[in-house]
Amino acid sequence: DLATSTLRLSLTGHISTIRAVKVSHRHTYLFSAGEDKQIKCWDLEQNKTIRHYHGHLSAVYGLVLHHCLDILISCGRDSTVRVWDIRTKASIFTLSGHTNTVACVESQAPNPQVVTGSHDSTVRLWDLTAGKTRAILTNHKKSIRALALHPEEFTFTSSSADVIKQWRFPDGNFMQNLTGQIGIINCMAVNPDGVLVSGGDNGSLFFWDWRTGYNFQKAQTIVQPGSLDSEAGLFCMAFDKSGTRLLVGEADKTIKVYKQDESADEESHPVVWKSEILKGKKY
């Protein structure tokens, strides 16, 4: 319960680390996936498991629900992306092509309907009707661990260690680099106002302006008392429906909620603007 920060309910059933959770906007279902190779569908009216989706050969790292169709898309350590029919539990497609762990998957209504990022340093855009790769983006040098789709623009970002790259749909045209955050970037979230937040394995939170790629704020998470400083990693993040609250899941076993500073203004938080930011590099 977010209002009181109290635990309402615990759902048990997975026998290993849970790596992804998604709530359906069209049904009363919650989907979870973990390192036990299982994908479970929970009915939130009965609070119990009603379906399992079998097929992954190793840990499942990412889950996403299609916006218009009753399908579920998962990715994992077996280097595949699997497309499931939610009702019949049947595997519609196994999208293969990545040569290493597929760490993240995102979906949208227009084509390309599926985007994946992998530890083989590539982003792939998939044609869901044919079940084939539409484009491969090879600009990254290191493993890709997070993707973020802009809620209103037809653009997205992908992050690997030390750099975030911005792309334009539908063909994956490169837009710009967002550099400055050192280390592994585990998660990203973007709100409708064009604020992109990226969370690092070292506990760093970077806030970026989506249009210009300008880093206007840096923050460092504070570990729970009694935790080690090495437990300052950020694993997942999401904005709430209003786009003003940022929820972050962290390595010290806490979920932290950040909100906008109402007292902040241009004088207290000046923007040090540099015009060369807009030029950007070609690669």
Side-chain angles (χ1 to χ4, degrees):
D1 187 340
L2 265 180
T4 58
S5 302
T6 52
L7 178 66
R8 275 196 188 173
L9 186 71
S10 294
L11 301 172
T12 55
H14 281 283
I15 55 172
S16 189
T17 311
I18 296 169
R19 296 295 291 249
V21 173
K22 284 284 182 289
V23 179
S24 172
H25 299 296
R26 309 175 59 194
H27 314 93
T28 57
Y29 296 158
L30 178 144
F31 297 88
S32 61
E35 292 183 5
D36 51 9
K37 311 179 198 175
Q38 295 186 39
I39 302 170
K40 292 178 183 280
C41 172
W42 307 79
D43 188 334
L44 293 177
E45 288 179 335
Q46 305 170 49
N47 295 328
K48 66 179 187 183
T49 314
I50 54 169
R51 295 188 187 98
H52 289 92
Y53 303 88
H54 295 287
H56 276 285
L57 306 175
S58 192
V60 188
Y61 277 14
L63 270 186
V64 70
L65 291 154
H66 197 281
H67 289 268
C68 311
L69 307 171
D70 280 347
I71 60 174
L72 173 72
I73 303 147
S74 61
C75 65
R77 208 159 57 199
D78 56 3
S79 311
T80 62
V81 180
R82 295 178 189 262
V83 184
W84 311 88
D85 186 319
I86 287 175
R87 290 203 185 96
T88 65
K89 301 179 283 191
S91 177
I92 304 168
F93 284 125
T94 300
L95 308 174
S96 54
H98 282 295
T99 56
N100 206 329
T101 301
V102 187
C104 45
V105 58
E106 289 291 343
S107 172
Q108 58 178 5
N111 284 326
Q113 295 178 39
V114 182
V115 186
T116 55
S118 166
H119 288 195
D120 63 10
S121 311
T122 64
V123 176
R124 282 181 184 249
L125 312 179
W126 301 88
D127 180 350
L128 197 58
T129 46
K132 292 195 176 85
T133 303
R134 177 182 172 132
I136 307 172
L137 315 178
T138 57
N139 300 35
H140 280 284
K141 305 274 191 298
K142 296 179 182 173
S143 299
I144 296 159
R145 290 170 189 262
L147 294 168
L149 272 57
H150 195 285
E152 287 164 4
E153 290 180 24
F154 206 36
T155 53
F156 74 102
T157 57
S158 57
S159 72
S160 63
D162 306 337
V163 67
I164 299 169
K165 289 181 185 285
Q166 217 171 46
W167 314 86
R168 187 177 285 111
F169 285 126
D171 300 318
N173 303 326
F174 176 73
M175 289 166 64
Q176 62 183 354
N177 280 329
L178 281 61
T179 54
Q181 189 165 7
I182 305 301
I184 294 167
I185 300 168
N186 280 332
C187 49
M188 291 190 294
V190 58
N191 71 2
D193 294 333
V195 176
L196 173 72
V197 189
S198 56
D201 217 31
N202 54 3
S204 59
L205 265 175
F206 275 53
F207 295 80
W208 313 81
D209 176 40
W210 184 276
R211 192 179 67 82
T212 59
Y214 172 64
N215 172 221
F216 63 86
Q217 189 180 348
K218 300 181 179 76
Q220 183 71 27
T221 186
I222 302 157
V223 294
Q224 277 287 93
S227 297
L228 304 170
D229 286 339
S230 59
E231 291 185 329
L234 312 180
F235 287 157
C236 56
M237 59 172 57
F239 279 101
D240 71 349
K241 293 284 186 195
S242 69
T244 59
R245 300 287 187 273
L246 177 70
L247 293 91
V248 184
E250 307 201 358
D252 60 0
K253 307 184 184 74
T254 62
I255 298 168
K256 295 192 173 74
V257 184
Y258 294 86
K259 69 169 185 171
Q260 292 178 353
D261 185 357
E262 276 98 12
S263 61
D265 55 21
E266 284 89 345
E267 290 177 7
S268 64
H269 293 73
V271 172
V272 187
W273 182 256
K274 294 187 179 70
S275 59
E276 65 258 26
I277 292 170
L278 277 171
K279 290 176 192 163
K281 291 200 174 67
K282 199 164 181 190
Y283 299 105

